[in-house]
Amino acid sequence: MRYAAGWRSRITLGVPAALALLLLVVPLVALLLRADWARIPADLATPTVLPALRLSLTTTSITALLCLALGTPLAWFFARSDHRATSWVRALLTVPLVLPPVVGGVALLMTWGRNGVVGQHLAPFGVQIPFTTVAVVLAETFVAMPYYVLAVEGAMRGLDPRLEAVARTLGAGDLRYLRTVAIPLVLPGIASGLALAWARALGEFGATITFAGNFQGRTQTLPLLVYVELERDPQVAISISILLLAVSVLVLGALRGRWLR
């Protein structure tokens, strides 16, 4: 009787679990099955793909550097602060995680556009950010920075507070402690945060096309090119999608051990 009840429980839980897995896996398998594998090298070498690939690698690398330079101090302050306002600031930081990307693009336009909150003060100097490569970097940073900050903050919260107390007794200030003690100890967290931010930036579409447009050689990244090629040559779109899928799997595979811990 107990044996039969155990099987019924497994079936009751197993069926929806299997359906959930199929909903996630079948589209990826379908993408692989529909690919013309013999064409992929040639598709990725076409004149439209190479500029988009080069632009994607350039902008995502710059985005990763911005996350490292700006996000690390922000994560440090989040990890050390217990003020009630910190939770609200952290909530604002996480908004891009759930905000529709196109809304993020509109928000960036309202900030950096010719009549934007900041852009209106740049226009008299001839500085125009929307629909340029700089706009691509800003859009990618807007959506990727939260991933980096949250990952690094979590790593920094795991530091033993006694380490900072000892560093204080030796005369180390915040900057020296961060540089010589905290950052070396949280390097795995920084690496995983950078990988997540880089991968998120690589796949960004909505904010980029809204704020930066889709101009070949200037703002057209790989996800935007997939959108164009779906109408022009679906097989090229599939080949580019497989390239992006492979990069995502590699990044997630590299972080798997850390997540499991």
Side-chain angles (χ1 to χ4, degrees):
M1 188 71 177
R2 188 176 298 175
Y3 180 77
W7 272 107
R8 283 197 297 268
S9 298
R10 291 182 181 179
I11 293 174
T12 302
L13 296 173
V15 170
L19 290 175
L21 186 62
L22 288 174
L23 285 173
L24 297 174
V25 173
V26 169
L28 302 179
V29 174
L31 179 65
L32 299 177
L33 292 177
R34 292 299 301 272
D36 186 348
W37 293 91
R39 277 191 53 179
I40 289 180
D43 289 341
L44 297 182
T46 55
T48 56
V49 174
L50 290 179
L53 176 60
R54 183 166 52 249
L55 180 65
S56 291
L57 294 177
T58 300
T59 56
T60 52
S61 297
I62 295 174
T63 296
L65 291 176
L66 286 175
C67 290
L68 179 65
L70 304 179
T72 304
L74 181 58
W76 167 244
F77 283 114
F78 278 164
R80 295 176 75 244
S81 176
D82 294 325
H83 196 277
R84 68 176 61 183
T86 304
S87 60
W88 289 101
V89 177
R90 186 184 293 106
L92 288 176
L93 174 75
T94 58
V95 165
L97 296 177
V98 296
L99 192 70
V102 66
V103 177
V106 173
L108 289 169
L109 273 175
M110 296 302 99
T111 303
W112 300 101
R114 184 179 296 273
N115 297 318
V117 174
V118 178
Q120 63 180 334
H121 302 293
L122 300 177
F125 300 98
V127 178
Q128 180 178 343
I129 292 179
F131 310 110
T132 65
T133 304
V134 175
V136 177
V137 174
L138 289 175
E140 292 177 349
T141 303
F142 179 78
V143 299
M145 181 79 77
Y147 290 88
Y148 176 80
V149 173
L150 293 178
V152 177
E153 181 195 355
M156 287 183 171
R157 283 188 177 275
L159 291 175
D160 190 338
R162 291 175 296 181
L163 293 174
E164 184 174 0
V166 172
R168 295 289 188 188
T169 61
L170 297 175
D174 286 347
L175 184 59
R176 187 175 181 184
Y177 170 73
L178 183 64
R179 187 180 68 252
T180 60
V181 179
I183 288 180
L185 290 176
V186 299
L187 276 179
I190 290 176
S192 63
L194 281 177
L196 283 173
W198 189 87
R200 178 63 185 89
L202 183 66
E204 168 51 32
F205 175 83
T208 303
I209 198 170
T210 305
F211 179 48
N214 190 8
F215 303 100
Q216 184 177 351
R218 190 172 68 188
T219 65
Q220 188 179 75
T221 57
L222 285 176
L224 272 62
L225 182 59
V226 170
Y227 177 75
V228 172
E229 292 294 347
L230 274 175
E231 296 290 334
R232 187 162 52 194
D233 189 344
Q235 187 56 51
V236 175
I238 293 174
S239 297
I240 301 172
S241 299
I242 289 177
L243 172 63
L244 292 171
L245 175 62
V247 172
S248 301
V249 170
L250 288 174
V251 171
L252 295 179
L255 298 178
R256 178 177 176 273
R258 176 175 176 78
W259 285 347
L260 290 180
R261 288 194 297 272

